[in-house]
Amino acid sequence: MLYTAYEIGHQALAPFRLFARAAAELYGSQLNPARDSWASRANIAALKVYESATRRYGKPEWELPFTEVNGVQVPVEIDTVIEKPFGSLLHFVRDEKALADAGVKGPQPRVLIVAPMSGHYATLLRGTVQAMLPGHDVYITDWADARTVPAFNGRFDLNDYIDYLIEFIRHIGPGAHTMAVCQPGPPLLAAVSLMSAWDDPTVPRSMTIMGSPIDARKSPTVTNLLAQQRGFEWFERNMIQTVPAPNAGMTRRVYPGFLQLFSFMSMNAERHSSAMWDYFENLVKGDDDSVERHERFYDEYLSVCDMTSEFYLQTIHDVFQEYLLPRGLMTHRGEFVDPSKITKCALLTVEGELDDISGIGQTQAAHELCTGLKPTERVDYIQEGVGHYGVFNGSRWRNIIQPKIADFIAERFDAKAEKAFREAPRQQAAE
């Protein structure tokens, strides 16, 4: 009923949003002699704030038409290399001629960025991708909004998520590197553990896990405490809704994105209220730079998507309540997940000192599990002065964290093996 009420409310406000847009254009029209007065600017600002606060934000565009390498603009195209009902594998294909013109000789490391399935689209990692593109051949997981997936496509849970990751890693091929940002830390660690136990030839050469709840018992945050204090049945009863018409996924049971967004915003309600007031004042003052920064951030932040109920509830149970992975009790399709089997995939963990989502120590816990790795293949880093978002976005990500990850990958990059891998398909095709 809650989702239906939300949908009805959204539709009911549509005429008022149209009126707000029309009125803002009227006040700002060249035909309005008072368009530059304080009253007109204040009215325009109020109407824009109302429209931005009540509209539904769709999936953002990547807006990465090129990357800059050694001062040369290199065109980038996004290729969907695997498309599945609940998620796709995207490849950011850089123009080879432009790379050569920029002085890039030979192949660069292939990196799979595993985006979180936690209520936001993969484009939340635009800054992450942007910083990795100049020196890496980047792939990313692009998870679907569950409300857009028809019910006949069936279920999607944490086990399916792990299956997707294994399929994506195998497609990218041997010698690749992986990065998990926040939520996907446990499933990536599980996927690599299973592939290592199977002696899979495509086991990644490294995995970087950032701000992730590998062991949510350590330094519990408000989010972790909520999961501990509420029983599993509470989440099932209060957080799961049925997708209503006219959405393609109608009748599917989901954890709605708007509930996740409300939870996140309520944790920092004062900051978001202040940001909205600053937005209004900057619109009135005509501070276009500040207005653009606000709109770019909130256009992304307010773009939310639904998760399937089975994925959400299994994650709550396995990761945040029973801590199955760090306790050695996690299974996948009946097989125990044993990170000690990992011997060929180096591990880097990154945490933010001020992270209020995944506390200090939760990501570091991966080192306690990966006992099969040599000490030289296990690296931990804590970035001072950043919260959860700052681990993978912002100036300290670009200037400090990303270069450390790039160095970690470079130390484990075999250029000759990479060249041989890339040429092998061409040789087979020629034969």
Side-chain angles (χ1 to χ4, degrees):
M1 290 297 295
L2 179 62
Y3 207 140
T4 300
Y6 168 79
E7 194 70 36
I8 291 173
H10 174 74
Q11 298 299 332
L13 290 174
F16 299 97
R17 284 192 295 275
L18 290 173
F19 172 79
R21 290 176 196 154
E25 290 181 6
L26 179 63
Y27 275 115
S29 171
Q30 296 284 354
L31 299 177
N32 178 14
R35 66 189 294 267
D36 293 323
S37 67
W38 182 91
S40 288
R41 294 199 306 272
N43 281 328
I44 292 171
L47 291 165
K48 286 189 174 183
V49 169
Y50 170 80
E51 194 274 337
S52 67
T54 60
R55 71 183 170 94
R56 177 179 289 164
Y57 290 76
K59 184 177 181 179
E61 297 294 329
W62 279 100
E63 298 180 359
L64 293 173
F66 63 86
T67 185
E68 187 170 304
V69 181
N70 298 328
V72 176
Q73 284 194 355
V74 177
V76 176
E77 293 186 0
I78 302 176
D79 183 21
T80 302
V81 293
I82 297 180
E83 187 170 9
K84 299 174 74 67
F86 293 94
S88 301
L89 177 63
L90 305 184
H91 182 199
F92 293 85
V93 183
R94 301 166 301 167
D95 184 83
E96 292 187 6
K97 183 180 182 303
L99 281 174
D101 292 342
V104 175
K105 298 179 180 179
Q108 294 178 312
R110 287 164 289 129
V111 178
L112 169 62
I113 300 176
V114 186
M117 181 185 280
S118 56
H120 281 98
Y121 294 97
T123 50
L124 186 69
L125 304 188
R126 183 185 295 106
T128 315
V129 173
Q130 187 175 34
M132 294 296 292
L133 272 175
H136 305 85
D137 188 7
V138 179
Y139 295 77
I140 195 168
T141 60
D142 187 29
W143 304 111
D145 183 349
R147 74 167 175 243
T148 68
V149 183
F152 62 73
N153 285 114
R155 295 163 47 86
F156 182 85
D157 62 13
L158 188 56
N159 293 302
D160 297 306
Y161 189 112
I162 293 170
D163 288 338
Y164 272 41
L165 292 187
I166 293 173
E167 181 178 350
F168 292 166
I169 292 169
R170 284 173 172 167
H171 177 87
I172 296 172
H177 303 262
T178 56
M179 289 174 54
V181 181
C182 188
Q183 170 271 321
L188 177 62
L189 184 55
V192 175
S193 299
L194 291 164
M195 296 177 72
S196 298
W198 302 335
D199 199 22
D200 192 306
T202 59
V203 169
R205 184 63 193 89
S206 77
M207 59 178 167
T208 299
I209 303 177
M210 309 165 66
S212 185
I214 300 299
D215 189 345
R217 295 172 297 182
K218 298 178 181 290
S219 305
T221 63
V222 173
T223 304
N224 304 138
L225 293 174
L226 175 64
Q228 293 174 11
Q229 294 165 358
R230 304 286 189 180
F232 180 80
E233 294 76 15
W234 184 89
F235 288 94
E236 190 172 23
R237 185 173 61 252
N238 293 280
M239 295 299 180
I240 303 304
Q241 302 290 322
T242 301
V243 178
N247 298 285
M250 61 188 221
T251 73
R252 180 180 293 283
R253 299 285 283 170
V254 299
Y255 173 48
F258 65 83
L259 285 181
Q260 177 82 324
L261 180 63
F262 176 79
S263 298
F264 278 140
M265 296 196 73
S266 62
M267 290 173 61
N268 298 283
E270 185 175 346
R271 186 172 66 186
H272 290 299
S273 297
S274 177
M276 195 60 70
W277 178 253
D278 290 342
Y279 177 52
F280 171 81
E281 289 190 323
N282 289 327
L283 283 167
V284 174
K285 291 187 297 185
D287 185 348
D288 295 338
D289 290 341
S290 296
V291 167
E292 183 180 1
R293 283 196 300 271
H294 174 97
E295 290 178 345
R296 284 186 64 85
F297 175 79
Y298 278 98
D299 282 357
E300 189 72 55
Y301 190 78
L302 299 176
S303 299
V304 293
C305 51
D306 299 352
M307 289 175 267
T308 64
S309 61
E310 52 272 15
F311 171 81
Y312 172 75
L313 292 173
Q314 188 179 358
T315 300
I316 290 291
H317 178 271
D318 292 6
V319 177
F320 294 104
Q321 291 187 334
E322 296 299 326
Y323 320 106
L324 297 185
L325 181 59
R327 292 173 61 205
L329 300 176
M330 184 177 185
T331 61
H332 174 73
R333 310 294 185 199
E335 180 178 352
F336 276 100
V337 174
D338 184 1
S340 71
K341 298 293 185 182
I342 301 174
T343 59
K344 300 177 182 177
C345 179
L347 171 66
L348 168 63
T349 56
V350 181
E351 295 184 317
E353 177 192 20
L354 308 178
D355 195 331
D356 58 353
I357 302 296
S358 296
I360 292 290
Q362 293 189 16
T363 310
Q364 291 174 340
H367 294 281
E368 300 171 12
L369 304 178
C370 297
T371 56
L373 286 172
K374 297 177 182 177
T376 55
E377 294 292 89
R378 293 189 285 110
V379 180
D380 176 59
Y381 178 72
I382 298 176
Q383 176 59 54
E384 296 180 356
V386 302
H388 188 71
Y389 191 77
V391 169
F392 57 90
N393 242 318
S395 60
R396 293 189 185 178
W397 152 251
R398 292 191 301 270
N399 300 325
I400 303 176
I401 299 174
Q402 193 279 332
K404 289 183 179 297
I405 295 174
D407 289 344
F408 176 78
I409 291 174
E411 290 171 4
R412 292 155 181 85
F413 177 60
D414 187 335
K416 291 183 178 179
E418 186 70 17
K419 183 178 180 181
F421 166 75
R422 292 173 184 253
E423 291 178 350
R426 298 177 187 174
Q427 292 175 354
Q428 292 171 4
E431 293 172 359

